Amino acid sequence: FADVVLIYDICRYEHARHPDKKSAWCAAFNEEDLMVLEYYQELEYWHRNGYFYEINTKFACPLMENLVTTFEGDLSKEEGNVTMESSGLNETLSLEDQEPGYTPPEATFYFSHSEAVLPFLTLLGINKDDFALTHKNYEDAKARRYRVSKMGPFSANIGFLLMECDESPKDRVMAILQEKAIKLPQCDELACDWNTFKNIYEEEIQCPFDDICAEDGTPLRRTSLQSGSVEMTFNLVLTLICSALIIRA
């Protein structure tokens, strides 16, 4: 099987480099083979960077913390009687509440690898399915939203545009994935109200990184999707048992 995966890797890399040409290495597979192999590798990404473990949805929080401080400055510093920590990201905070004397940069760029991009997308809740990806539900997962080929291709990128608008809400933020604007989960509009955004990701902005990554001797907690997967399996078994009883009757 290792040889099959190697051939598949050569096939997809050559196709990425020359999309208008058909690689000889791809001749070994039909379309269904390619979809199965894509899912096979995607399961690893989903467990390591996706929605399998709860920690996967949290440990990229330094990026979220940096996002807000880049736009507003370090608001954890005391400003009269108001700080970000004591206010709980109070909705009255706006761009006018920036750190005194702070001028946001016109643009900030960071360069990394998919190992940073994918966990950050998981933290944001982007492309989260309503079910767990497992080796048993390939057919159901054909329509999945979590696709690394779309989320973390070559030159994958995610950006945030902070806008000051004439109409309320005046302060808005827009997420841009692979140069296309996307609506963030829990946001009502493509251009999300900045204070709503901060309330949605309040814990991630505060980023208790040491607590998140602390070793407490217990196994990593899985997300609620795993419980849902177990429940679906139980319901399926129960249905089959009931069907068998009906047939016997």
Side-chain angles (χ1 to χ4, degrees), residues 76-178:
S76 64
K77 298 177 180 178
E78 291 192 2
E79 241 180 271
N81 294 323
V82 180
T83 69
M84 180 176 286
E85 294 177 349
S86 65
S87 66
L89 297 177
N90 191 296
E91 291 190 8
T92 60
L93 290 177
S94 68
L95 296 183
E96 296 177 356
D97 298 297
Q98 291 171 340
E99 178 186 347
Y102 178 76
T103 302
E106 293 293 330
T108 300
F109 297 91
Y110 294 103
F111 297 89
S112 186
H113 299 279
S114 61
E115 284 77 8
V117 175
L118 291 176
F120 189 47
L121 297 180
T122 300
L123 178 147
L124 292 168
I126 293 174
N127 288 356
K128 183 178 181 180
D129 292 289
D130 299 326
F131 55 89
L133 304 188
T134 73
H135 66 289
K136 296 181 179 180
N137 63 350
Y138 164 71
E139 290 295 332
D140 293 333
K142 283 183 176 180
R144 66 190 178 277
R145 293 190 290 267
Y146 190 90
R147 289 186 181 274
V148 177
S149 59
K150 303 295 184 182
M151 300 166 64
F154 291 130
S155 302
N157 58 86
I158 179 150
F160 291 86
L161 176 65
L162 189 62
M163 299 173 285
E164 296 183 59
C165 304
D166 295 331
E167 300 178 356
S168 181
K170 293 186 176 181
D171 303 330
R172 307 180 194 183
V173 63
M174 182 183 293
I176 304 170
L177 180 63
Q178 326 307 8

Side-chain angles (χ1 to χ4, degrees), residues 21-124:
K21 297 180 180 180
K22 186 170 183 178
S23 168
W25 294 98
C26 296
F29 310 109
N30 58 33
E31 184 175 351
E32 183 69 14
D33 295 333
L34 294 172
M35 292 173 62
V36 170
L37 287 165
E38 178 190 38
Y39 188 63
Y40 168 77
Q41 293 197 332
E42 214 143 75
L43 286 175
E44 179 182 353
Y45 283 104
W46 192 81
H47 281 72
R48 187 174 61 191
N49 297 318
Y51 298 100
F52 184 76
Y53 291 115
E54 284 189 4
I55 194 172
N56 292 354
T57 67
K58 300 177 179 179
F59 72 81
C61 67
L63 296 174
M64 181 62 78
E65 180 184 31
N66 180 265
L67 170 65
V68 174
T69 56
T70 297
F71 284 149
E72 294 189 341
D74 187 1
L75 294 183
S76 64
K77 298 177 180 178
E78 291 192 2
E79 241 180 271
N81 294 323
V82 180
T83 69
M84 180 176 286
E85 294 177 349
S86 65
S87 66
L89 297 177
N90 191 296
E91 291 190 8
T92 60
L93 290 177
S94 68
L95 296 183
E96 296 177 356
D97 298 297
Q98 291 171 340
E99 178 186 347
Y102 178 76
T103 302
E106 293 293 330
T108 300
F109 297 91
Y110 294 103
F111 297 89
S112 186
H113 299 279
S114 61
E115 284 77 8
V117 175
L118 291 176
F120 189 47
L121 297 180
T122 300
L123 178 147
L124 292 168

